Structure formats: structure tokens, C-alpha cells
Amino acid sequence: DIDLAVTCPNGVTISFRDRAPAQCSGRMDLDANMPQSATLTPVENIFFINPHTGSYQVEVSLFNNNGTTGDIPFTLQVRLGDTIRLFTGYVGTSSTKWQTRFDYEAPR
């Protein structure tokens, strides 16, 4: 069970703990491998409507290895308008968290 979280420029975090905080224009609409939705091909998604200008931190973390040993690979897709950036990483034995940061400038 790998979890996705995004921290907005104002410091508010969107995650399974708070899927649509009022102080941020983003929302988590997919959270795979909750007890009700276990799958071997999990997908998680956070999207924004009218995101604010600033620096966003994305974190992928290992919530539960569910009996898996070693590192678990993942692919993260960040879409900014028509631009898609792909990141790959691992969480598990070597590190339970992976982070990246990106800046966004809202259109005027």
C-alpha cells in the first residue's frame, strides 16, 4: 500500500487523511488499496482546479508492505497543462518515503 500526498504552497497537505482540504484547491479522488479496494495494480490521483502559484511537494510513502519484502517500484506522473513529467522511484526497505518538488506559475 503506497500512498500519494501533495503539499500545497501554503503548507496544507492533500492525502488519504484529508482528501479535499478547504485551504487548497486540490482533491484526492483515487486512493488505491484501502481495505475496501485492494488491487495488485494500484492507482492514486490528486488533481487541482485553478492551482495557486508556488512550490508543491509530492511525496510517495509506504503505508503498509502487505507482506512484500524489498523495494517497491512506482511511477509518478505530474501533468501541468499539456506537459507531462514522469518520475520513477522506489519505497520499501531502503526508504519508506520518496519526495520531489516542482514550481507552478498560475496563468494571469
Side-chain angles (χ1 to χ4, degrees):
D1 185 4
I2 296 174
D3 285 323
L4 175 65
V6 175
T7 301
C8 299
N10 64 1
V12 173
T13 300
I14 302 166
S15 71
F16 72 91
R17 289 183 176 89
D18 192 353
R19 295 170 64 115
Q23 308 87 344
C24 196
S25 61
R27 179 173 181 252
M28 175 177 262
D29 64 344
L30 290 175
D31 181 15
N33 283 344
M34 301 178 346
Q36 311 86 305
S37 66
T39 176
L40 294 175
T41 56
V43 174
E44 301 210 351
N45 188 62
I46 296 175
F47 71 94
F48 289 82
I49 296 174
N50 300 320
H52 302 285
T53 294
S55 184
Y56 289 78
Q57 179 174 303
V58 180
E59 180 177 289
V60 177
S61 60
L62 179 63
F63 182 76
N64 186 336
N65 68 2
N66 293 324
T68 302
T69 58
D71 288 334
I72 301 166
F74 66 86
T75 300
L76 172 72
Q77 176 180 304
V78 176
R79 181 176 164 205
L80 300 170
D82 293 333
T83 303
I84 295 175
R85 294 168 49 187
L86 293 177
F87 301 88
T88 57
Y90 296 88
V91 291
T93 304
S94 60
S95 178
T96 59
K97 291 185 181 184
W98 177 94
Q99 296 177 340
T100 191
R101 216 175 246 289
F102 65 89
D103 293 323
Y104 175 77
E105 186 166 334
R108 297 175 200 229

